[in-house]
């Protein structure tokens, strides 16, 4: 088995395990839920953005949280007044990571939303072949 196939299989198993734990917790608490729960990923750190192709194989949708992604990409603590002015949502490195994540999500046929607090600036779902 190739390393890439092994990694995809491991991600799929982790997804199944986490989804099962969530379903069991909801059921044991008597919480009503949908018959099928979608599992998504929050892209908030550069490593997750860079691995978005691999992650996409194991999830149903993407959400990109830009506050942390910007902070960690630029190594800027937005709460530190000495460097907060360097926090730049339009920095080319940030835009490239967001663009790459969106492209990988779409290539995998996954929905994606990009959120810049306090606004959701993009919410896209791929077309479904059957009504939901």
């Amino acid at each position: 088995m190739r390393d890439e196939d092994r990694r995809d299989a491991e991600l799929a198993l982790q997804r199944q395990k986490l989804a099962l734990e969530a379903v069991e917790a909801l059921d044991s608490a008597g919480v009503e839920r949908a018959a099928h729960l979608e599992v998504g990923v929050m892209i908030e750190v550069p490593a997750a953005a860079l691995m978005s192709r691999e992650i996409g194989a194991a999830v149903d949708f993407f959400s990109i949280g830009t506050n942390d992604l910007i902070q960690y990409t630029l190594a800027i603590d937005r709460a530190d007044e000495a460097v907060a002015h360097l926090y730049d949502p339009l920095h080319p490195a940030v835009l490239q990571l967001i663009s790459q994540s969106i492209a990988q999500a779409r290539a995998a046929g996954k929905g994606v939303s990009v959120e810049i607090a306090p606004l959701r600036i993009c919410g896209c779902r791929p077309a479904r072949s059957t009504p939901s």
Side-chain angles (χ1 to χ4, degrees):
M1 179 181 278
R2 296 179 326 167
D3 287 342
E4 184 175 318
D5 293 335
R6 187 179 349 272
R7 188 172 39 245
D8 289 348
E10 288 173 7
L11 283 172
L13 286 173
Q14 288 175 340
R15 172 207 163 128
Q16 288 175 329
K17 179 183 176 197
L18 291 172
L20 181 58
E21 288 175 8
V23 165
E24 289 173 352
L26 291 171
D27 289 349
S28 69
V31 175
E32 285 188 43
R33 62 175 178 82
H36 170 74
L37 296 181
E38 289 191 332
V39 175
V41 62
M42 187 73 168
I43 304 290
E44 294 184 296
V45 295
L50 293 170
M51 297 298 295
S52 57
R53 182 176 61 83
E54 291 81 3
I55 292 170
V59 299
D60 297 311
F61 64 91
F62 280 59
S63 183
I64 302 172
T66 58
N67 279 337
D68 287 341
L69 185 61
I70 296 164
Q71 180 170 316
Y72 296 130
T73 300
L74 302 179
I76 301 297
D77 181 356
R78 61 185 183 263
D80 182 343
E81 291 182 19
V83 294
H85 67 282
L86 298 172
Y87 183 87
D88 181 6
L90 300 178
H91 189 282
V94 173
L95 296 177
Q96 185 173 350
L97 289 172
I98 292 170
S99 177
Q100 176 181 326
S101 297
I102 292 170
Q104 294 300 335
R106 287 185 174 163
K110 310 301 169 121
V112 60
S113 67
V114 181
E115 298 179 20
I116 297 178
L119 303 172
R120 174 174 283 172
I121 61 169
C122 175
C124 310
R125 288 293 295 167
R128 293 180 183 228
S129 58
T130 58
S132 51

